Amino acid sequence: MDNEIIGKTKEFAKAKLYGESTGHDWWHVYRVWKNAVSIGEKENADMFVVQLAAFLHDIADWKLHGGDHDAGPNEARKFLESLGVKGSVVSHVCEIIKSLSFVGGGKKEMPTLEGKVVQDADRLEALGAIGIARAFATGQKLGQPIHDPEIKHVDNPSVEEYKKAYTGERKNTTINHFYEKLLLLKDLMNTETAKKIAEERHRYMEEFLERFYNEWDGEC
Ligand code: ADP
Ligand code: NI
């Protein structure tokens, strides 16, 4: 029964998000699910909750729903109830989706192990080779240059400052985004399993930046 529900949830998320181009497309969700499964198994989490939350975590992004942080949880609740999932599981999954939806969610502690696992899996998406690719894709969408030594990054940006870069109110570059978010993420991981993966991906991004600056300066 659980496997059937997981399969239906996977199909629902795929149908809804396939071809999305905001960085929250189906393949992002697929990778979060994969990461969440491998982290969750090592951390002994409830894999039914972990998998449902991973598939549904970006089902209705607040950024595309007029800032409504309840849009995602509401849609997830409707879908899970239509499958007859029991109330305590539905509430747990919706709570995870709601907590994940806040920008700078690092400020709010995820209350359950399953939430921590899915949050880690989602955050890992911003790191490593995939994270670099996503950052440049988002940068393109925001119309920001890849790099401009004259545009300085903000140290430890507040949520407001971070949002300004996203809405274009503050001129920014994609290389700056590394210092404003990507290089800070490894210290925000909840689980030991994700911390190890994040450290490896972090080193890879540092190497990327070193090489980027060398090439920028014509040194290699
Ligand atoms: P999340 O998946 O955590 O909700 P966002 O919607 O904030 O992330 O961003 C989607 C992707 O775009 C992430 O990989 C993030 O690192 C990247 N991104 C967000 N803001 C910027 C920016 N100003 N410049 C470049 N990349 C960005
Ligand atoms: Ni996500």
Side-chain angles (χ1 to χ4, degrees), residues 24 63 126 134-135 138-139 142 144 162 165-166 174 177 181-182:
H24 298 107
K63 295 186 213 76
R134 287 181 91 213
T138 304
L142 299 177
Q144 65 191 21
Y162 181 82
Y166 208 89
T174 298
H177 183 66
K181 175 174 176 182
L182 309 188

Side-chain angles (χ1 to χ4, degrees), residues 40-128:
E41 278 172 354
K42 291 199 185 82
E43 300 284 336
N44 292 320
D46 176 337
M47 296 311 292
F48 186 48
V49 170
V50 164
Q51 293 189 79
L52 295 180
F55 280 133
L56 296 172
H57 85 276
D58 273 337
I59 205 74
D61 191 349
W62 61 272
K63 295 186 213 76
L64 310 174
H65 287 78
D68 181 6
H69 286 276
D70 286 319
N74 286 346
E75 186 148 352
R77 176 174 295 280
K78 226 166 60 195
F79 174 71
L80 293 173
E81 281 174 354
S82 78
L83 296 183
V85 176
K86 75 170 180 216
S88 59
V89 171
V90 176
S91 297
H92 191 174
V93 170
C94 291
E95 187 50 44
I96 294 174
I97 299 171
K98 181 150 184 176
S99 309
L100 271 180
S101 126
F102 286 92
V103 181
K107 316 257 172 346
K108 189 173 174 263
E109 170 95 7
M110 267 284 177
T112 64
L113 173 62
E114 290 69 27
K116 289 180 168 61
V117 167
V118 178
Q119 185 173 49
D120 281 354
D122 197 29
R123 285 183 171 155
L124 283 175
E125 271 283 286
L127 298 181

